[in-house]
């Protein structure tokens, strides 16, 4: 019986994780559930899954969570605050941690789980984008395991011998990450000038939160995944390619030096990757229907349009610059996307904000988490200054 902490239980990854867990009550139990501010949803999940601990990030909502759970007859501990989430990730109530908190807010708890030697299911790509070397060192020292949950990286993981081997010794030539192209694939810059947040959040294949949906629309999500693949698998930037694949059935590929290309395919449903990561190295039923290739054919692939969707090119730029440039990229993007979702920034200006901050703040060596968080703060402040001038 694996005891699972689901950090970010009210999001799409959290919901899909709990669906898989519920299908295997003899193998998995959700012992810790956390949420940011969705107190009613968290309370309902606690009624359904009966965890040992529920944590709400906003301390102002702790009393309401306690009241809702008491009224429903749920007997579990209640806590609040980001430190409580971090403590839960490292604590004794779980041996497996699903890191699904969106954005830089998930860094501390993800690192804590790694340091504590947990079986870490990584869905919070921003953590490894910001602190890749520090996170992998924490996994090594903690003695746990890291299995990626992002569908693309989970696909690469499945196509490699032993999950995350040394690529050159395994005969790997390159990693090929696929991208759906988002809701605006094929459009020109002129056609994207008046895009609204609701339009950007209507992904053609996946059901996701608003922030990651916007990142998918700009292709920044794929850029962050390129950086994530670099850290997870030790691949240089020149050995990581992106192909637009609008059907979202081929999740990624690995090309070997003998010309072989291994691909992982499946329906666009995150439960496949989650079930694989939860049960690894075994396999369990995920609830995902079988893939009917005859009904889906033909499958199409094309190169990404880097001039229209500049965020992907900026992510490659940050990766090649090294140091904390990926963290700067991530911070500026989070600020810009938040402004876009609030109606304060045009869609095409998201890339402009990110580029301005990368230019203003050249990469520095990553020393420790404290210094990294300070650079994150500086980058966010720089992004807000750019926004003020832009508005």
């Amino acid at each position: 019986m694996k005891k699972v902490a689901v950090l970010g239980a009210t999001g799409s990854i959290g919901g899909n994780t709990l669906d898989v867990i519920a299908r295997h009550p003899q193998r998995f139990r959700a012992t810790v559930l956390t949420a940011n501010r969705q107190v009613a949803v968290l309370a309902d999940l606690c009624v359904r899954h009966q965890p040992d601990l529920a944590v709400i990030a906003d301390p102002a909502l702790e009393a309401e969570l306690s009241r809702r759970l008491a009224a429903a007859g749920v007997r579990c501990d209640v806590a609040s605050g980001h430190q409580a989430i971090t403590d839960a990730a490292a604590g004794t109530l779980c041996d497996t941690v699903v890191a699904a908190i969106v954005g830089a807010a998930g860094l501390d708890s993800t690192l804590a789980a790694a340091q504590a030697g947990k079986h870490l299911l990584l869905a919070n790509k921003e953590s490894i984008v910001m602190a890749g070397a520090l996170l992998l060192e924490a996994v090594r020292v903690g003695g746990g395991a890291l299995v990626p949950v992002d569908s693309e990286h989970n696909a690469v993981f499945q196509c490699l011998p032993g999950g995350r081997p040394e690529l050159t010794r395994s005969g790997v030539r390159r990693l090929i990450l696929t991208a759906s192209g988002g809701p605006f694939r094929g459009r020109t810059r002129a056609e994207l000038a008046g895009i609204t947040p609701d339009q950007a959040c209507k992904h053609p294949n996946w059901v996701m939160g608003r922030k990651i949906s916007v990142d998918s629309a700009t292709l920044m999500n794929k850029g962050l995944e390129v950086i994530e693949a670099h850290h997870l698998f030790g691949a240089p930037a020149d050995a990581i390619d992106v192909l637009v694949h609008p059907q979202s059935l081929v999740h990624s590929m690995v090309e070997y030096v003998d010309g072989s290309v291994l691909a992982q395919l499946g329906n666009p449903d995150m439960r496949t990757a989650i079930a694989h990561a939860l049960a690894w190295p075994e396999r369990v039923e995920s609830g995902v229907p079988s893939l009917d290739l005859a009904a889906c054919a033909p499958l199409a692939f094309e190169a990404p349009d880097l001039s229209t969707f500049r965020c992907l090119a900026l992510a490659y730029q940050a990766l090649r610059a090294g140091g904390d440039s990926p963290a700067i990229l991530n911070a500026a993007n989070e600020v810009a996307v938040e402004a876009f979702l609030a109606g304060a920034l045009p869609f095409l200006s998201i890339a402009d904000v990110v580029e301005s901050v990368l230019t203003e703040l050249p990469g520095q060596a990553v020393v420790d988490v404290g210094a990294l968080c300070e650079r994150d703060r500086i980058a966010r402040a720089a992004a807000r200054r750019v926004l003020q001038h832009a508005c």
Side-chain angles (χ1 to χ4, degrees):
M1 175 69 73
K2 289 185 178 179
K3 300 183 295 181
V4 185
V6 184
L7 311 184
T10 58
S12 61
I13 293 293
N16 281 314
T17 299
L18 291 170
D19 180 86
V20 175
I21 288 173
R23 293 172 186 275
H24 302 279
Q26 304 306 314
R27 297 184 63 116
F28 311 115
R29 178 168 174 257
T31 54
V32 177
L33 300 180
T34 83
N36 185 25
R37 301 193 77 256
Q38 291 185 283
V39 64
V41 179
L42 179 59
D44 288 344
L45 291 176
C46 291
V47 171
R48 198 174 314 153
H49 298 280
Q50 299 291 310
D52 298 321
L53 173 64
V55 187
I56 191 81
D58 187 346
L61 296 173
E62 182 178 348
E64 182 181 352
L65 178 59
S66 296
R67 179 183 59 78
R68 286 176 177 269
L69 294 181
V74 177
R75 300 180 63 183
C76 76
D77 291 333
V78 175
S80 66
H82 292 288
Q83 186 59 50
I85 294 176
T86 298
D87 292 344
T92 58
L93 291 178
C94 62
D95 50 53
T96 301
V97 174
V98 180
I101 296 173
V102 176
L107 176 59
D108 288 345
S109 53
T110 301
L111 278 171
Q115 291 163 349
K118 306 296 184 180
H119 181 69
L120 177 60
L121 278 57
L122 184 66
N124 171 246
K125 64 173 61 68
E126 290 87 354
S127 292
I128 197 164
V129 166
M130 292 177 63
L134 296 176
L135 177 58
L136 294 177
E137 177 64 9
V139 171
R140 186 190 69 78
V141 173
L146 188 161
V147 181
V149 170
D150 266 349
S151 59
E152 296 81 1
H153 303 89
N154 184 265
V156 171
F157 187 91
Q158 294 190 49
C159 291
L160 291 172
R164 295 196 296 118
E166 186 177 334
L167 297 189
T168 54
R169 292 187 178 181
S170 300
V172 173
R173 178 177 289 154
R174 61 175 176 149
L175 310 180
I176 306 168
L177 307 181
T178 57
S180 70
F184 308 132
R185 180 179 63 88
R187 297 202 193 183
T188 64
R189 286 184 61 82
E191 293 172 326
L192 298 177
I195 291 299
T196 67
D198 285 344
Q199 289 173 316
C201 291
K202 289 181 180 177
H203 195 281
N205 300 332
W206 299 93
V207 177
M208 305 181 292
R210 288 175 71 79
K211 192 269 182 183
I212 191 173
S213 294
V214 174
D215 283 348
S216 180
T218 64
L219 290 193
M220 178 59 88
N221 188 53
K222 203 55 50 180
L224 297 177
E225 289 175 0
V226 167
I227 298 170
E228 181 179 0
H230 161 74
H231 288 298
L232 282 174
F233 305 112
D238 292 341
I240 307 171
D241 287 345
V242 172
L243 277 180
V244 174
H245 169 52
Q247 293 82 11
S248 295
L249 299 178
V250 178
H251 300 304
S252 278
M253 296 173 272
V254 175
E255 180 183 359
Y256 289 85
V257 293
D258 61 5
S260 299
V261 178
L262 302 187
Q264 189 269 338
L265 289 77
N267 285 307
D269 190 316
M270 285 305 302
R271 291 177 297 174
T272 298
I274 291 166
H276 171 267
L278 276 172
W280 181 81
E282 300 176 31
R283 300 266 182 175
V284 296
E285 170 66 47
S286 67
V288 179
S290 296
L291 177 62
D292 186 348
L293 281 173
C296 298
L299 303 182
F301 301 90
E302 61 191 52
D305 179 357
L306 297 181
S307 60
T308 300
F309 300 95
R310 295 172 49 234
C311 285
L312 177 55
L314 290 171
Y316 271 105
Q317 175 185 321
L319 176 57
R320 290 188 170 102
D324 62 9
S325 289
I328 301 298
L329 171 100
N330 179 72
N333 179 66
E334 287 193 14
V335 171
V337 169
E338 182 180 1
F340 167 70
L341 287 172
L345 184 72
F347 179 78
L348 289 174
S349 295
I350 294 173
D352 296 334
V353 172
V354 174
E355 184 174 36
S356 294
V357 176
L358 283 174
T359 301
E360 179 181 339
L361 300 173
Q364 296 181 1
V366 178
V367 180
D368 54 35
V369 175
L372 192 64
C373 289
E374 175 61 14
R375 287 280 283 175
D376 176 85
R377 184 195 65 78
I378 291 171
R380 289 171 191 273
R384 293 187 184 100
R385 288 197 301 273
V386 174
L387 284 173
Q388 288 178 346
H389 291 300
C391 297

